[in-house]
Amino acid sequence: MTPQEYLELKSISFRTITLANEVHTAQDVAIQCGCDVKTVIKSLVFWSDKGFALAAVSGDSRVSLAKLAKALGVTKVRLATAEETKLVTGYLIGTVSPFGLNDIDDIHFDKEFLVNKSELLFGSGRADTLIAIFSDEMIKSDTFQFADISEPN
């Protein structure tokens, strides 16, 4: 299922943004879209002793391994390799979308998304396309969990 199909299935309003050039970092997106880097969301895959998980944080933050481990209820957690990320999501690093993933059950969004009432930009699985969603739309899905998982970059 594509991210767009998943969002349509969950009745989550979104729009896609096609970029003039491929992007690979949150800063690249912010420059090309003319937006604040904190509205660009990084979706990162992690391995834990419970399996794979996805953590999504704003572009000006990073995932705290200690906070993520606590949110997941595990003792061991590490960033997934590029090969593991591709295997469990079907996407290359830098394009990962948190929407419509079949092989990841634990999807955690940073709780700051609930405070930030602006439009957030997510990966779509493609380096030239983004998915834009207002933060209050994300609570429509029962798939996502919100937790304090970030720390300053």
Side-chain angles (χ1 to χ4, degrees):
M1 175 180 307
T2 68
Q4 293 88 336
E5 290 169 339
Y6 171 84
L7 294 168
E8 288 169 358
L9 180 69
K10 295 292 185 176
S11 299
I12 297 174
S13 297
F14 70 97
R15 67 184 179 102
T16 56
I17 299 170
T18 303
L19 303 170
N21 301 300
E22 288 187 1
V23 293
H24 299 284
T25 68
Q27 190 63 42
D28 290 346
V29 172
I31 291 168
Q32 212 172 126
C33 293
C35 64
D36 190 327
V37 73
K38 70 174 52 174
T39 64
V40 179
I41 307 306
K42 301 184 291 191
S43 298
L44 305 167
V45 178
F46 291 83
W47 174 90
S48 77
D49 37 359
K50 275 180 32 181
F52 289 100
L54 183 137
V57 298
S58 66
D60 66 342
S61 302
R62 66 177 175 225
V63 175
S64 163
L65 293 179
K67 290 179 179 181
L68 181 60
K70 182 179 177 183
L72 293 171
V74 298
T75 56
K76 294 181 184 176
V77 65
R78 65 165 170 79
L79 189 62
T81 65
E83 294 79 20
E84 290 168 333
T85 297
K86 175 77 169 151
L87 178 70
V88 298
T89 67
Y91 305 130
L92 298 173
I93 289 176
T95 69
V96 174
S97 176
F99 311 115
L101 298 175
N102 296 322
D103 296 329
I104 297 180
D105 293 327
D106 282 316
I107 299 174
H108 283 72
F109 286 158
D110 191 62
K111 70 177 185 173
E112 290 300 313
F113 294 177
L114 299 174
V115 175
N116 184 350
K117 298 295 184 189
S118 61
E119 189 173 50
L120 304 175
L121 305 178
F122 292 88
S124 69
R126 297 174 45 113
D128 65 349
T129 306
L130 302 171
I131 295 174
I133 301 175
F134 281 94
S135 58
D136 46 358
E137 282 289 312
M138 296 183 341
I139 60 173
K140 291 182 179 178
S141 175
D142 56 359
T143 306
F144 312 130
Q145 300 174 57
F146 294 88
D148 178 16
I149 58 170
S150 68
E151 61 188 17
N153 233 349

